[in-house]
Amino acid sequence: MAGIHITDIEAAINWWRDRSPSPDGVSLPAATRALAEVYALMVYFHETEADENSLPDQAREAWLAWYATTPDTPCIAICSTSQGDPLCKGCGRTFDEVQRWTEMSPGEKRASWRRITLEGDAWRFNRYKERAL
């Protein structure tokens, strides 16, 4: 199961709020409402992740629209896994993540992004920040 973290749901809600604001300040457009329902259930049940494959269709489509606006790969073209490192010094992904990236689901990719961002010690976050832009 690939989990979509609650912070990604929140980011998608905010993206949709900017893209399609409430017409009257009270009601929500369909995409925002679909994501907000998932978010509310996650908060109510104290869940930090939603199963990528069991999201309601409208929420999944809204999340994928936001996801399409995010960078696909954390790669900064300084790969140390090809030199035998288990964790890439450049982007922070594991050897397995680098090898499987093109076949990973959006939820799996976002989980990798979340981990490397929280760790924050890959070169993309310090030495070569300009390459990450």
Side-chain angles (χ1 to χ4, degrees), residues 59-132:
R60 180 170 169 69
E61 288 172 21
W63 184 81
L64 286 172
W66 165 80
Y67 171 79
T69 68
T70 64
D72 178 55
T73 177
C75 182
I76 60 168
I78 302 175
C79 192
S80 68
T81 59
S82 60
Q83 312 303 319
D85 286 343
L87 199 65
C88 180
K89 290 179 179 126
C91 70
R93 290 179 293 170
T94 65
F95 177 78
D96 187 51
E97 289 169 335
V98 171
Q99 294 299 308
R100 291 188 46 247
W101 194 259
T102 57
E103 61 194 52
M104 289 170 68
S105 72
E108 291 170 325
K109 288 180 180 181
R110 289 302 303 163
S112 294
W113 267 103
R114 179 169 167 67
R115 180 186 53 74
I116 67 169
T117 302
L118 288 174
E119 290 170 357
D121 49 7
W123 290 349
R124 78 177 332 275
F125 299 110
N126 49 45
R127 266 191 183 167
Y128 297 102
K129 271 200 305 204
E130 72 282 353
R131 283 190 178 209

Side-chain angles (χ1 to χ4, degrees), residues 16 20 23 27-37 58-59 62:
W16 276 103
S20 180
S27 60
L28 295 175
T32 311
R33 185 175 49 254
L35 288 165
E37 289 171 0
Q58 199 167 21

